[in-house]
Amino acid sequence: MSEFRSGQIAIVGRPNVGKSTLLNALIGEKLSIVSRRAQTTRHRIMGILTEADAQFVFVDTPGFQTRYGNALNQMMNRGVRQALAEVDVVVFVVEAGRFDDRDRAVRQLVPDDCPLIIVVSKIDQVRNRAELLPFLQRLGSEGEFAAIVPVSATRRQQLDVLLAEIRKHLPNDQLLFAEDEITDRSERFLAAEYIREKLFRLIGDELPYGAAVDIERFVVDGALRRISAAIVVDRAGHKSIIVGKGGEVVKRIASEARQDMERMFDGPVFLEVFVKVKSGWADDAQLLKSLGYE
């Protein structure tokens, strides 16, 4: 066991660069929700990958927000800073062909003594591969990095290379979690996240940013899980968007979220979803804590 390595790895970056997609690809399970909309991830979530010689404990973080300062974004940014203070390695995700002051703001958060690996994501979307090498060279001039690894999480390209680079910097240690664990989050948390993902995916740009999910009831009855969830919105007009004509939209949200839950929980789920209006929730620190924000 002296050669066994284990440690925590923060996955950081500005919003919408592919952090959650990378985590899911590395773990092989849908732990962190994904959509094309920025700031989909709001909570820190651990994804645990155990191999024969190492245990990788990835910490997916919200995209660091530099534009908006409400209580919700302040809490998310605090979570990013806290994650960076507690990990052994930082994986800094940037989008292929794009690097600007928003990325530099994230880079400045990383402690100087922490190994920093740049992951260049979405390389499968680069039409002219000849442009990739100059971009990698430009990244190299931005500072000292332990490695720069181009990847495509959706196509699982270069993930083995990334894991090998990370392993070099993990301390010699025993398992931090049991071998069969894949996350530190509860089924209750995952249920809320699956519902929130469907909000982003099915409603898109019409969806108000001020929407959250509160699991009001989660009961395990043998193999069956009975779940009652409230989608919390800021305005009455937002409620009508989510409910849809004849309740069609909220029914589809519930149906698709339930299918994800049944795959993850490996059993049947009875899911009830409704919508509540709580004005100003995204700027109410006490209410945010009641909804699970730290």
Side-chain angles (χ1 to χ4, degrees):
M1 292 293 292
S2 61
E3 292 301 316
F4 192 88
R5 294 175 181 263
S6 62
Q8 294 191 35
I9 308 101
I11 303 177
V12 301
R14 60 176 172 81
N16 214 27
V17 292
K19 299 180 296 299
S20 297
T21 302
L22 177 64
L23 173 69
N24 292 341
L26 288 165
I27 304 304
E29 293 284 354
K30 184 178 180 179
L31 297 179
S32 195
I33 65 174
V34 177
S35 84
R36 290 177 293 178
R37 185 162 178 169
Q39 291 294 88
T40 301
T41 300
R42 291 182 182 167
H43 301 269
R44 286 190 299 163
I45 180 170
M46 285 185 179
I48 304 159
L49 173 65
T50 304
E51 297 191 335
D53 60 353
Q55 185 174 74
F56 304 82
V57 181
F58 294 99
V59 185
D60 187 22
T61 62
F64 191 78
Q65 180 58 256
T66 59
R67 296 179 60 190
Y68 306 108
N70 65 17
L72 174 60
N73 282 312
Q74 289 173 12
M75 285 187 172
M76 291 193 294
N77 283 354
R78 186 161 61 245
V80 176
R81 292 190 180 96
Q82 184 177 349
L84 288 169
E86 298 172 349
V87 298
D88 302 291
V89 182
V90 174
V91 168
F92 175 28
V93 183
V94 303
E95 190 173 344
R98 298 182 180 181
F99 190 90
D100 57 30
D101 288 342
R102 294 172 297 171
D103 300 285
R104 294 185 182 95
V106 179
R107 167 68 180 89
Q108 292 173 3
L109 298 173
V110 181
D112 292 335
D113 59 348
C114 189
L116 176 59
I117 297 172
I118 289 190
V119 166
V120 180
S121 69
K122 307 180 185 180
I123 60 171
D124 54 299
Q125 298 180 18
V126 177
R127 293 182 179 180
N128 185 358
R129 288 300 180 94
E131 297 175 354
L132 189 57
L133 181 57
F135 176 72
L136 298 178
Q137 292 172 337
R138 181 159 68 88
L139 282 180
S141 67
E142 291 285 339
E144 294 293 327
F145 306 111
I148 299 176
V149 184
V151 307
S152 169
T154 56
R155 298 185 181 180
R156 305 192 58 81
Q157 294 175 349
Q158 294 272 95
L159 298 185
D160 56 340
V161 176
L162 174 59
L163 288 173
E165 290 292 343
I166 293 171
R167 188 189 183 282
K168 294 176 184 178
H169 302 284
L170 295 180
N172 289 331
D173 204 348
Q174 297 181 359
L175 292 169
L176 300 177
F177 292 87
E179 291 184 29
D180 60 349
E181 290 188 73
I182 61 170
T183 185
D184 65 324
R185 291 293 193 169
S186 67
E187 290 186 354
R188 188 186 192 101
F189 171 86
L190 293 173
E193 288 291 273
Y194 289 152
I195 295 168
R196 198 163 59 81
E197 180 188 57
K198 302 314 172 190
L199 279 168
F200 285 111
R201 286 184 175 271
L202 297 178
I203 300 178
D205 293 338
E206 288 187 274
L207 175 70
Y209 182 67
V213 177
D214 183 21
I215 302 296
E216 297 193 345
R217 182 171 177 262
F218 193 111
V219 177
V220 179
D221 183 7
L224 174 66
R225 288 155 178 83
R226 300 181 183 274
I227 304 170
S228 180
I231 298 173
V232 181
V233 295
D234 192 59
R235 301 175 186 174
H238 298 162
K239 178 177 179 178
S240 62
I241 293 173
I242 294 172
V243 171
K245 185 177 180 180
E248 291 180 359
V249 177
V250 74
K251 288 177 183 176
R252 186 177 172 192
I253 289 169
S255 176
E256 295 194 10
R258 176 185 54 77
Q259 292 173 44
D260 279 352
M261 293 177 201
E262 290 181 337
R263 282 191 288 268
M264 175 58 79
F265 305 156
D266 195 25
V269 171
F270 175 81
L271 176 62
E272 176 189 25
V273 178
F274 53 95
V275 186
K276 283 185 176 181
V277 179
K278 290 186 178 181
S279 298
W281 75 266
D283 211 17
D284 184 330
Q286 185 174 355
L287 183 55
L288 286 168
K289 288 181 180 179
S290 74
L291 291 171
Y293 293 91
E294 300 173 356

